[in-house]
Structures are given as C-alpha cells and as structure tokens.
Amino acid sequence: MRRQFRVPTVRARFLGGLSILAVLLTATVALAALPPGGTFTDDNGTVFEGAIEAIAAEGITQGCNPPTNNRFCPNDFVTRGEMAVFLARAFDYADNGGGNLFVDDDGLFYENAADRIKTAGVTVGCNPPTNDRYCGESLVTRGQMAAFLVRSIGLTDDGGGDLFIDDNGSVFELAIDRLGTAGITQGCNPPTNNSFCPTDFVTRGQMAAFLSRALHLTPITPPPPTSSTSSTSSPSSSSSSSSSSSSSSTSTTVDSSTSTSEDSSTSTTDG
C-alpha cells in the first residue's frame, strides 16, 4: 500500500513547537543547574568536556573517584569492565540472562553490566572457543570499541567500505567502516582523517565523544570555572593518556556495571 502523506495541521505544528520548546527549556535548566566548571573538575577546557557533561546528564557516567566522584579521568584508558558499564547504561540493557555468565568477574563492579551486554549479544567473551571469561581489566582498543558500538546500535551500512587506510585486513574493518558511515567517528589524523588507529587504546574522554555521537546527544558547555573550582586535567591512575588520535570526543566512565565485546562483526571473541 502506498504511504499517504498529509500536510501537518495547525495543532500538529503547535505541538511540534511545544516539543522543541520543551527540549530547549530542559537544556537551559540542565545548564543552569551545573556548578562553575561543570560536573567534574578535571576536564575543564578539554575538547571532550561537552560530551562528558552530556553523558553525565544521561546517567551514563558517575565519575572515576568514588565516593566523591568529582573527577572523570578523561585521559585514562577504558577497560573492558568500564566499557560494559557504559554500554549497559547507555543502551538500557536490563536482562542479565540469569547472571554469572563469566567466571572471572564475580563480585566486581562490572559483573552485572557484563552479563547484560553478553545477554544482549554485544559481547561473547575473551577466551574462544570457551568464552567463559570477560577479561574486564584488559584495555579496549579503538577497533574493539567500534565493534562494541556497532553491535549495540545495530549499524549495517558500511558506506561502500574501505573508509580508512590503516585497518585493511583487520577483523574490525567492517565495524570501523560502519561507525564512520554513521558519523560516530571521523578518524584519528586530522585534518586528513584517513586513518582510524584501530590498535590505539581508547581514552575515557574519547569514549564520551563516541557515546555522545552514537546517542545523538547535544554537548553541554558548563559555566566557566572559578579560581576555586578550576583544575587541570591530569593523567589518572593506571591508564594514562592514549596515543590515539583526536577522532571522537566525548566521555566514558569507570563506575559500575557493564561489559563489552569489540571484535570483528563475524568473529567469536572480543579480542
């Protein structure tokens, strides 16, 4: 049957206007509620700050230094455990498949998240062919991250393929092309951006950007910091800043719950 299109009525246009107004008001209220410098003290002035604030507003990140959680640790590398939490929160995965799907995460902060992303088909494990381990302490590469997000979103368009010159033959090449076609990544070597740097580790700041783009979130710029709230971002904890490029800005978190699988779209391990 041929789809029928109708010109919007006055009521429809009015309601549409109200929807836009509601979004603008919500954004204004959210911005007004932020303290000087924003939610975190260690991302002021970074290219990822707007994305970090956006995912924080969505409850995707809570910070990296509990219980205070006034830091985001944007230069730290993302672990598989953190990735699981990010994805479980970002995509509202609730079903944990009965729990205890992996043998190496019992009692850890990301156990429930790992079970949820496993049940959702986003990860399969890290020790094929058994795949009864999640390897939550391992760091996530940009190639693996591409696979995680492509599976979470369900992207299928690769834009004709071969969008980057440095992933040929990689098990992640198809996922990377799909991520690039969707506009979630722009590359890692501006201004050319013909490389993706698939073997570089992903920082939390970059992950924030990836998630913000994937979820179509609007970056939130907080009020400028005062002298008492300003703080420079410093490399924190075990994973200092990645050598990887400026491809995508936006945050990620260290909090609780999650797991992820970033391998090739066809492989049976998370890599």
Side-chain angles (χ1 to χ4, degrees):
M1 178 181 298
R2 186 175 181 179
R3 181 174 298 181
Q4 300 295 316
F5 294 93
R6 294 184 299 171
V7 177
T9 62
V10 172
R11 173 179 169 79
R13 289 195 296 269
F14 174 72
L15 292 177
L18 285 181
S19 298
I20 295 173
L21 179 60
V23 170
L24 293 175
L25 288 175
T26 300
T28 302
V29 170
L31 177 58
L34 289 175
T39 305
F40 304 108
T41 63
D42 63 344
D43 64 350
N44 297 334
T46 70
V47 294
F48 302 111
E49 186 175 17
I52 292 170
E53 289 292 353
I55 65 169
E58 294 292 321
I60 298 170
T61 183
Q62 297 172 351
C64 67
N65 60 326
T68 308
N69 280 329
N70 62 351
R71 297 175 62 83
F72 181 72
C73 305
N75 295 326
D76 280 7
F77 294 134
V78 178
T79 66
R80 285 172 58 85
E82 291 171 342
M83 178 66 81
V85 177
F86 280 136
L87 295 179
R89 290 176 177 164
F91 297 97
D92 297 321
Y93 295 132
D95 184 1
N96 69 357
N100 202 30
L101 302 187
F102 299 105
V103 300
D104 63 343
D105 61 358
D106 293 349
L108 298 177
F109 75 89
Y110 57 83
E111 180 180 11
N112 190 38
D115 289 337
R116 292 178 181 185
I117 65 170
K118 164 76 170 178
T119 303
V122 177
T123 185
V124 292
C126 66
N127 60 323
T130 309
N131 280 328
D132 60 352
R133 301 177 63 84
Y134 181 68
C135 304
E137 304 308 309
S138 296
L139 301 179
V140 178
T141 66
R142 288 168 57 86
Q144 293 169 336
M145 175 280 305
F148 277 131
L149 279 183
V150 163
R151 291 175 183 164
S152 296
I153 304 170
L155 300 176
T156 58
D157 184 2
D158 67 355
D162 203 24
L163 302 188
F164 301 100
I165 63 174
D166 62 344
D167 62 356
N168 296 334
S170 166
V171 293
F172 304 111
E173 183 176 10
L174 180 58
I176 292 169
D177 287 336
R178 289 174 175 177
L179 207 65
T181 301
I184 297 172
T185 184
Q186 298 169 351
C188 68
N189 59 325
T192 308
N193 280 329
N194 61 353
S195 294
F196 181 74
C197 306
T199 59
D200 284 0
F201 294 124
V202 181
T203 67
R204 288 170 55 85
Q206 292 170 343
M207 195 63 218
F210 282 128
L211 287 170
S212 179
R213 291 173 183 164
L215 299 172
H216 303 288
L217 302 179
T218 301
I220 299 175
T221 303
T226 63
S227 57
S228 60
T229 61
S230 64
S231 167
T232 57
S233 43
S234 56
S236 37
S237 90
S238 55
S239 33
S240 1
S241 113
S242 115
S243 56
S244 151
S245 55
S246 68
S247 147
S248 33
S249 40
T250 99
S251 108
T252 139
T253 131
V254 68
D255 359 306
S256 60
S257 110
T258 157
S259 122
T260 141
S261 120
E262 336 84 65
D263 18 303
S264 77
S265 304
T266 55
S267 78
T268 55
T269 178
D270 301 331

